Amino acid sequence: MGNSFRQTVAGLFAKDEMNSSTMLSGHVAATRARAQASESEYLIAAQDTTYYNYSGQAQMSGLGVIQGQVRGLMQHNVLLMDEGGLPLGIVDQQYWTRGGAMDWPTSQKESQKWFNGLAAVNQQAQGSDKRWVVTGDRESDIFDFFKAECESNVDLLVRVFQPRRVEVVTAGVVCPLPTVCAHLDDYGNESVQIERLYDGKRRTVELTLHLQAAIVHIHPNQTLSSARHKTQALSLVVATEVACCDVKSQADCFETDNSLSWFLLTSLPITQADEVQRIVRFYALRWRIERLHFTLKSGALDVEKLQFDDVHTLTNALSFYSVVAWQLLGLTYALRQDPEQPAETLFEPDELTLLQQLSGKPVASLRQATLALTRLVGFAPSKKQPLPGVNVLATAIERFFFVKQGAAAVSKPLQD
């Protein structure tokens, strides 16, 4: 992704009428269609922000400051997944700079990104028969966020940490959040898998969590009346890490001094134990949006090495590569779960038609379609490597984008 890429696509991405919304409009529509076709009752919409460092590119205009002297920009994504964790696509994306060409309006704070992401999910959830769960990490622990308007089929699930006063309904107690565990009901243990740095490497670990929960109201700060301004009844789940092992090696990697407690606040119900467990599983899936950002910034995509003249062109390129990263992530997880599932899970009908024409072979299953895709870059399956790796997939998806552009151009009638 060096100068050849820049020269090929700079003209397309630099157009004034092109922006991230335009770039992603078709993808967002297809994501909703995949969501509706999913067998999942629940859809998980994970929000997260990532920061791109372009300090080494003095020629790029419009960048702002990330921190100190580091130049770059911010990107906030909403990744939609089914309840099994399969990434279905991106439903919202926001960019901004600090002291650059894309600063937030002075009337707004950067925290508006969480409300914008929720608004995008509300829009997609209209008319849907699914329940949409919007998850956020501790940065989204904003009092007004819990009072934001949601569609009737949209719920919030946020990891909280602010030492606000919590009213535990069943216990009739009001106490600071850090001391609330003494007043919660016990719901036993649950195990989830997440990615975590261990011994300097990113590993998939299995956490055993001890669960406590209760119905609560969150009180505002001292300047507002609690009776008038406290939140509606919400579910508070506290998941305390009690064991941890490396999934691959089964090595014990639990460190008592570094164990964490997840304080999860949600509008989802907790009338029985399996609902408490489900909340924890849903939040654990939030880590997959961090995997999306990892895919963008490292390894096969390495988008922080993109070179353009201005931030407008850059953001359009990043939107394109965000879809590539989703495809990489989706293919990786889907091929692990079920390589023989229908190819339509992650490929559009016109893409499958084109892949079949190019390969001359069936593309009915996800495995067949993926192999047809990677033949574009010379991959041939073997006993040692029956399926392509991430680097091959990334190169193939990029190549396929330009193949599709060429096919679309050829199909258009000539103009006088």
Side-chain angles (χ1 to χ4, degrees):
M1 295 192 305
N3 290 332
S4 61
F5 169 81
R6 178 175 179 268
Q7 293 168 2
T8 303
V9 301
L12 173 65
F13 294 154
K15 292 182 178 179
D16 290 339
E17 64 271 21
M18 191 70 72
N19 55 49
S20 61
S21 296
T22 304
M23 292 285 296
L24 291 176
S25 59
H27 172 73
V28 172
T31 297
R32 190 183 190 280
R34 283 188 289 271
Q36 284 300 104
S38 169
E39 296 181 357
S40 289
E41 177 184 357
Y42 290 87
L43 300 170
I44 316 304
Q47 296 200 62
D48 196 37
T49 303
T50 192
Y51 300 77
Y52 294 108
N53 181 353
Y54 292 99
S55 292
Q57 301 192 33
Q59 87 290 345
M60 194 181 301
S61 65
L63 294 173
V65 175
I66 298 176
Q67 186 177 15
Q69 300 298 313
V70 180
R71 298 174 69 246
L73 78 163
M74 281 66 74
Q75 180 194 64
H76 186 80
N77 290 307
V78 182
L79 176 68
L80 192 66
M81 297 169 279
D82 68 16
E83 57 190 276
L86 179 67
L88 300 174
I90 297 167
V91 295
D92 188 57
Q93 189 171 78
Q94 304 169 61
Y95 293 96
W96 69 96
T97 55
R98 296 169 182 162
M102 302 175 65
D103 289 6
W104 279 101
T106 55
S107 60
Q108 293 182 355
K109 297 180 179 179
E110 284 188 14
S111 58
Q112 181 64 34
K113 64 189 179 184
W114 302 103
F115 297 86
N116 293 347
L118 174 59
V121 173
N122 279 334
Q123 182 179 3
Q124 297 301 320
Q126 291 176 1
S128 170
D129 60 354
K130 310 290 185 181
R131 293 210 62 84
W132 299 58
V133 182
V134 181
T135 67
D137 62 9
R138 288 175 291 183
E139 190 186 347
S140 62
D141 180 10
I142 304 165
F143 182 78
D144 287 342
F145 192 53
F146 299 109
K147 304 184 79 172
E149 290 189 13
C150 294
E151 291 290 319
S152 60
N153 59 336
V154 173
D155 289 288
L156 298 179
L157 172 54
V158 173
R159 186 174 177 181
V160 295
F161 75 102
Q162 299 284 358
R164 298 190 185 92
R165 291 173 298 150
V166 178
E167 178 184 337
V168 183
V169 174
T170 53
V173 172
V174 178
C175 63
L177 180 68
T179 65
V180 75
C181 291
H183 309 289
L184 304 181
D185 298 325
D186 193 293
Y187 284 90
N189 290 350
E190 173 71 359
S191 294
V192 297
Q193 291 187 2
I194 65 169
E195 291 191 357
R196 176 170 285 181
L197 285 176
Y198 177 64
D199 282 347
K201 295 183 179 180
R202 187 178 295 272
R203 303 174 187 270
T204 300
V205 300
E206 182 168 284
L207 288 175
T208 301
L209 302 162
H210 180 68
L211 308 183
Q212 297 173 275
I215 302 299
V216 301
H217 296 284
I218 304 299
H219 286 217
N221 61 38
Q222 300 285 356
T223 63
L224 297 174
S225 164
S226 294
R228 293 180 58 189
H229 295 283
K230 67 183 180 182
T231 65
Q232 63 180 345
L234 297 168
S235 303
L236 177 65
V237 176
V238 178
T240 302
E241 299 174 6
V242 295
C244 180
C245 72
D246 185 302
V247 170
K248 186 175 182 179
S249 68
Q250 292 299 300
D252 184 354
C253 50
F254 182 66
E255 298 175 344
T256 304
D257 293 341
N258 294 322
S259 63
L260 302 174
S261 291
W262 309 357
F263 288 76
L264 307 177
L265 194 62
T266 179
S267 52
L268 290 164
I270 53 167
T271 57
Q272 51 196 28
D274 63 338
E275 292 175 333
V276 176
Q277 295 164 358
R278 181 170 59 196
I279 287 167
V280 173
R281 291 197 303 272
F282 285 174
Y283 186 77
L285 295 177
R286 195 206 66 81
W287 269 271
R288 296 203 174 174
I289 193 171
E290 295 187 9
R291 192 64 185 175
L292 175 78
H293 295 153
F294 177 80
T295 302
L296 277 161
K297 295 201 286 186
S298 65
L301 299 184
D302 216 4
V303 297
E304 288 179 313
K305 291 184 179 179
L306 290 173
Q307 298 180 25
F308 295 105
D309 294 331
D310 58 79
V311 72
H312 171 78
T313 308
L314 173 65
T315 55
N316 289 331
L318 288 174
S319 292
F320 161 69
Y321 272 105
S322 296
V323 177
V324 175
W326 159 74
Q327 287 185 305
L328 279 172
L329 206 64
L331 279 172
T332 300
Y333 285 115
L335 285 168
R336 286 180 190 173
Q337 294 174 7
D338 181 10
E340 300 308 317
Q341 64 184 288
E344 289 85 353
T345 307
L346 289 171
F347 289 90
E348 297 303 312
D350 59 332
E351 292 178 328
L352 293 174
T353 299
L354 184 55
L355 285 172
Q356 186 163 9
Q357 291 172 347
L358 291 169
S359 67
K361 296 185 177 182
V363 292
S365 72
L366 189 62
R367 179 183 59 81
Q368 290 172 329
T370 302
L371 290 177
L373 173 70
T374 52
R375 285 191 190 98
L376 295 174
V377 293
F379 176 79
S382 63
K383 288 184 178 180
K384 186 176 181 180
Q385 189 176 6
L387 292 171
V390 172
N391 287 346
V392 172
L393 283 171
T395 306
I397 290 171
E398 181 183 338
R399 179 73 58 83
F400 191 45
F401 170 79
F402 296 112
V403 171
K404 288 188 293 182
Q405 294 295 309
V410 169
S411 67
K412 292 181 180 179
L414 295 175
Q415 302 293 322
D416 292 335

